């Protein structure tokens, strides 16, 4: 297994041994308390596992024996750690529940299959004995997709795919790779790089999320990279064709991408890969405002400039990032010089930072960078160079750990993400921002408390882009789940009202269910239900997710 679960936090992000440099930086915490309109941020530690009461496992002895017979006794686990770790994903709501010791969604047992035949056998048993099954990749999902919900069934098991983590094959002529679905980002990338290839998919959750989870949740671009998949269902194996294109009716792979563990368990997937670029050049620019940065990205996309990453932070995110990078770390004099320089150049009012990555052989990467620079300059941007870009690349996977540290200090942090066409982008940005600010104020713990609402534009295409809002706010300590539900509802309604999708890359899970019928239409939901009925007639797979 490429990830050893026992070394991870059961109620937070990543490795248990991880230490960040944030907690001791008092200057940062004082700044944050002031920003949030709070006199101070309170210590709010999580409850340790030993103090939490875990509901008794309801797995019946004969079912346990039958599972043991399929996967081997050591691969059916029901220790407190295993059940707690698999109780939910890693959304803000999940973290609040886990930290408060609410393990009501812990599965009765966790099963680690080692191959497709074992997955098929577990599903056949579960359908016969009416046991709910929750497929689990890295557990980094942020919409409640891996919570151990039982639906109408007495027993629920989680199928942790992490033992199915082999790179099976590379087809160098077709530039595709086939791997088992439980392989996580670093293991897949390492195996590909060893052969001179890359997948080029690096979500912020890269370290722990898996190939199967990316496809099941339609993570950024994952559906576009999918060539073929094998999915185990209670009715048997489903295999999609691996043609580069086909006009033979609706493509079966289109019911695999975004299936969220509700239609079947993805066991293998074939995806597009690229030859490792000779050069990967990460740079940063500063724009005078969000509108000019967004316009530069739109033009770059429509002129076909090749960037493998483009992320534009709005003024709030740029300001927050700067505080995070410098307060309590960099001397006041250095900060003063930086501020002075940007002021002199006229980038001190609403500066917005953009990160871009150019890849290929040296000639191509440099030429695309120059083309982008020309567009950025035309829109008033100042180049910050390679150092600022590389700094982002070096530290980007540290950011998820910051959520745990914030939660320890009585503050909340969560993202709301969406996408729309360029013509609706400005209205969507303004609408969601206003809704978030108002909802945070309304649900604040005290008069004058407020949140920081930041936004990032990414995943741009010639037609549109995604917007990812991150908000940091003071928690209402005696009602923090309800507080977030109110904020999320306001944001989701603003997303729908302004022509955005309810999710650009996080999926539906449980958390986006209230809005999914509005997006798909009742007939669309009926079609999905019919697919579910055909593949999983008893309805054991991931009850209560994706389908209202
Ligand atoms: C801090 C943080 C940062 C994140 N950053 C990003 C980001 O930058 N980009 C992005 O796209 N997403 C991001 N996410 C969301 C999350 O990482 C993605 O949704 C990811 O695709 C989930 O992968 P996973 O392997 O962890 O899946 P899991 O969380 O284990 O599962 C997600 C869903 O897929 C199903 N599933 C998992 N494996 C299988 C399988 N083999 N067969 C069938 N169904 C399966 C589960 O049942 C569940 O419904 C982030 C989340 C967090 C908490």
């Amino acid at each position: 297994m490429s990830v050893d679960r026992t070394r991870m936090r059961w109620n937070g992000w990543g490795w248990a041994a991880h230490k960040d440099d944030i907690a001791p930086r008092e200057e940062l915490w004082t700044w944050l308390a002031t920003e949030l309109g709070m006199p101070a941020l309170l210590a709010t530690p999580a409850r340790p596992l030993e103090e939490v009461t875990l509901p008794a496992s309801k797995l019946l002895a004969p079912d346990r024996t039958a599972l043991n017979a399929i996967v081997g006794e050591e691969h059916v686990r029901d220790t407190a750690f295993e059940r707690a770790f698999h109780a939910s994903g890693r959304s803000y709501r999940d973290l609040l529940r886990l930290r408060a010791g609410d393990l009501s969604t812990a599965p009765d047992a966790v099963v680690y299959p080692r191959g497709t035949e074992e997955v098929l056998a577990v599903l056949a048993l579960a359908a016969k004995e009416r046991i709910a099954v929750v497929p689990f990749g890295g557990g980094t999902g942020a919409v409640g997709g891996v919570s151990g919900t039982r639906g109408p069934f007495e027993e629920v098991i989680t199928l942790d795919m992490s033992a199915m983590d082999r790179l099976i094959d590379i087809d160098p002529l077709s530039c595709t790779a086939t791997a088992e679905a439980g392989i996580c980002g670093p293991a897949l990338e390492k195996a590909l790089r060893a052969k001179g290839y890359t997948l080029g998919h690096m979500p912020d959750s890269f370290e722990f999320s898996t190939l199967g989870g990316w496809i099941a949740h339609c993570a950024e671009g994952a559906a576009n990279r999918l060539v073929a998949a094998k999915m185990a269902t209670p009715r048997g194996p489903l295999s999609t064709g691996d043609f580069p294109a086909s006009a033979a009716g609706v493509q079966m792979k289109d019911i695999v991408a975004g299936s969220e563990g509700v239609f079947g368990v993805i066991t293998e997937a074939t995806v597009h890969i690229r030859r490792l670029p000779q050069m990967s050049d990460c740079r940063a620019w500063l724009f005078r405002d969000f509108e000019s940065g967004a316009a530069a990205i739109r033009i770059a996309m429509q002129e076909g400039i090749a960037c493998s990453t483009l992320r534009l932070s709005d003024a709030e995110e740029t300001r927050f990032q700067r505080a995070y990078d410098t307060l309590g770390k960099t001397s006041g004099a250095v900060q003063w010089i930086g501020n002075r320089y940007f002021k002199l150049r006229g980038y001190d009012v609403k500066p917005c930072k953009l990160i871009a990555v150019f890849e290929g052989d040296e000639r191509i990467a440099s030429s695309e960078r120059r083309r982008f620079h020309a567009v950025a300059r035309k829109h008033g941007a100042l180049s910050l160079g390679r150092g600022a870009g590389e700094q982002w690349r070096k530290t980007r996977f540290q950011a998820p750990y910051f959520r745990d540290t914030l939660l320890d200090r009585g503050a909340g942090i969560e993202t709301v993400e969406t996408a729309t066409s360029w013509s609706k982008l400005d209205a969507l940005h303004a609408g969601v921002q206003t809704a978030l600010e108002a909802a945070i104020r309304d649900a604040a713990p005290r008069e004058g408390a407020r949140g920081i609402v930041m936004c990032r534009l990414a995943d741009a295409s010639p037609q549109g882009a995604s917007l990812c809002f991150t908000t940091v706010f003071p928690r209402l300590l005696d009602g923090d789940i309800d507080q977030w539900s109110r904020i999320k509802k306001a944001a989701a309604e603003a997303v729908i009202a302004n022509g955005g999708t309810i999710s650009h890359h996080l999926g539906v899970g449980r958390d986006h269910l209230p809005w999914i019928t509005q997006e798909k239409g009742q007939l669309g939901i009926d079609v999905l239900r019919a697919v579910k009925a055909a593949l999983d007639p008893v309805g054991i797979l991931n009850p209560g997710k994706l389908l209202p």
Side-chain angles (χ1 to χ4, degrees):
M1 273 192 270
S2 47
V3 176
D4 176 2
R5 299 282 188 234
T6 59
R7 289 174 49 224
M8 295 179 70
R9 292 180 188 168
W10 68 274
N11 61 354
W13 185 258
W15 304 117
H18 176 88
K19 292 250 179 306
D20 58 30
D21 71 340
I22 312 288
R25 286 165 53 191
E26 281 312 320
E27 206 181 321
L28 175 64
W29 296 109
T30 309
W31 173 84
L32 191 59
T34 312
E35 286 289 320
L36 301 185
M38 299 294 283
L41 293 173
L42 303 174
T44 46
R47 289 183 68 187
L49 188 53
E50 307 77 60
E51 286 177 16
V52 175
T53 313
L54 194 64
S57 169
K58 291 187 175 169
L59 189 66
L60 299 174
D63 294 335
R64 163 121 206 179
T65 307
L67 288 168
N68 288 350
I70 296 170
V71 296
E73 200 175 336
E74 69 277 29
H75 300 122
V76 183
R77 301 183 190 160
D78 58 3
T79 62
F81 178 85
E82 285 285 349
R83 293 182 59 213
F85 180 88
H86 291 89
S88 66
R90 290 297 180 264
S91 69
Y92 172 60
R93 204 189 306 249
D94 292 330
L95 296 182
L96 289 178
R97 287 210 183 95
L98 292 174
R99 291 171 62 93
D102 175 357
L103 293 179
S104 53
T105 55
D108 295 321
V110 183
V111 177
Y112 288 84
R114 285 156 305 159
T116 302
E117 290 310 315
E118 289 187 0
V119 177
L120 283 165
V122 169
L123 293 184
L125 172 78
K128 183 163 155 273
E129 301 302 334
R130 297 181 58 80
I131 306 168
V133 177
V134 180
F136 191 102
T140 68
V143 286
V146 291
S147 300
T149 42
R150 291 163 199 270
F153 308 104
E154 282 293 311
E155 301 162 89
V156 56
I157 56 171
T158 288
L159 211 56
D160 185 318
M161 299 296 288
S162 57
M164 292 179 61
D165 63 348
R166 280 180 317 126
L167 173 65
I168 297 170
D169 183 38
I170 289 181
D171 176 345
L173 285 187
S174 316
C175 255
T176 60
T178 302
E180 289 183 311
I183 193 164
C184 65
L188 178 57
E189 200 56 32
K190 188 172 168 204
L192 290 175
R193 278 172 190 253
K195 308 251 180 210
Y197 292 91
T198 177
L199 180 64
H201 177 61
M202 296 241 168
D204 291 349
S205 58
F206 172 76
E207 278 191 283
F208 303 101
S209 53
T210 62
L211 178 61
W214 298 335
I215 296 165
H217 253 346
C218 270
E220 283 165 25
N224 302 339
R225 285 187 182 86
L226 182 64
V227 178
K230 289 190 178 157
M231 190 159 83
T233 81
R235 296 267 317 272
L238 178 88
S239 197
T240 75
D242 64 354
F243 317 106
S246 163
V250 173
Q251 300 305 301
M252 299 315 287
K253 71 174 182 180
D254 292 341
I255 61 164
V256 175
S259 55
E260 302 204 1
V262 165
F263 296 160
V265 180
I266 303 160
T267 52
E268 270 181 44
T270 303
V271 285
H272 292 290
I273 52 175
R274 290 186 284 131
R275 290 195 179 82
L276 260 181
Q278 241 177 42
M279 178 175 186
S280 178
D281 186 359
C282 186
R283 306 257 168 162
W285 279 262
L286 203 61
F287 285 84
R288 287 203 166 84
D289 52 39
F290 193 66
E291 291 72 22
S292 54
I297 293 181
R298 177 172 52 79
I299 304 286
M301 289 294 105
Q302 292 170 351
E303 287 186 358
I305 298 176
C307 311
S308 61
T309 299
L310 267 178
R311 298 159 70 111
L312 172 71
S313 296
D314 73 357
E316 274 302 85
E317 189 167 279
T318 304
R319 190 172 74 90
F320 187 87
Q321 192 64 47
R322 191 131 196 271
Y324 175 87
D325 287 342
T326 57
L327 291 179
K329 218 170 152 186
T330 312
S331 86
V334 173
Q335 289 170 43
W336 185 85
I337 293 169
N339 291 342
R340 192 86 199 123
Y341 174 72
F342 291 124
K343 189 164 184 175
L344 281 173
R345 303 288 310 258
Y347 292 87
D348 58 329
V349 183
K350 291 195 286 175
C352 296
K353 191 167 168 181
L354 176 141
I355 300 283
V357 181
F358 307 90
E359 295 186 324
D361 69 29
E362 193 140 0
R363 194 177 46 84
I364 290 176
S366 305
S367 130
E368 294 303 296
R369 175 174 53 75
R370 278 196 297 274
R371 285 178 73 202
F372 183 78
H373 182 65
V375 174
R377 281 292 295 272
K378 226 174 171 170
H379 288 83
L382 174 73
S383 168
L384 298 179
R386 203 164 182 172
E390 288 304 336
Q391 176 61 19
W392 165 79
R393 189 142 66 173
K394 214 166 74 196
T395 53
R396 62 177 294 204
F397 299 132
Q398 307 293 313
Y401 287 99
F402 181 47
R403 301 185 317 155
D404 293 345
T405 320
L406 271 177
L407 278 154
D408 286 342
R409 297 272 188 141
I413 178 167
E414 185 55 306
T415 59
V416 170
E417 39 82 53
T418 177
T420 197
S421 50
W422 288 112
S423 54
K424 295 183 195 151
L425 200 90
D426 289 348
L428 180 65
H429 182 211
V432 179
Q433 170 125 9
T434 307
L436 276 168
E437 281 166 359
I440 291 171
R441 253 193 331 267
D442 288 350
R446 70 197 292 274
E447 186 80 15
R450 56 190 173 266
I452 302 174
V453 178
M454 323 172 230
C455 181
R456 183 174 69 232
L457 185 158
D459 217 30
S461 71
Q463 289 74 44
S466 76
L467 293 176
C468 185
F469 296 85
T470 301
T471 154
V472 178
F473 51 92
R475 272 162 62 196
L476 186 63
L477 293 178
D478 55 355
D480 44 18
I481 293 185
D482 181 54
Q483 177 194 31
W484 174 248
S485 300
R486 288 165 59 192
I487 298 170
K488 172 73 186 176
K489 183 167 181 283
E493 283 169 1
V495 162
I496 304 263
N498 288 287
T501 169
I502 193 62
S503 175
H504 164 261
H505 60 261
L506 292 183
V508 179
R510 282 198 306 182
D511 295 358
H512 286 145
L513 277 184
W515 300 281
I516 195 63
T517 310
Q518 245 170 303
E519 180 155 331
K520 301 262 181 251
Q522 188 54 54
L523 190 53
I525 295 294
D526 291 348
V527 171
L528 295 180
R529 280 193 200 288
V531 173
K532 165 94 173 158
L535 297 172
D536 176 23
V538 187
I540 52 159
L541 276 164
N542 220 0
K545 323 286 169 54
L546 181 64
L547 295 168

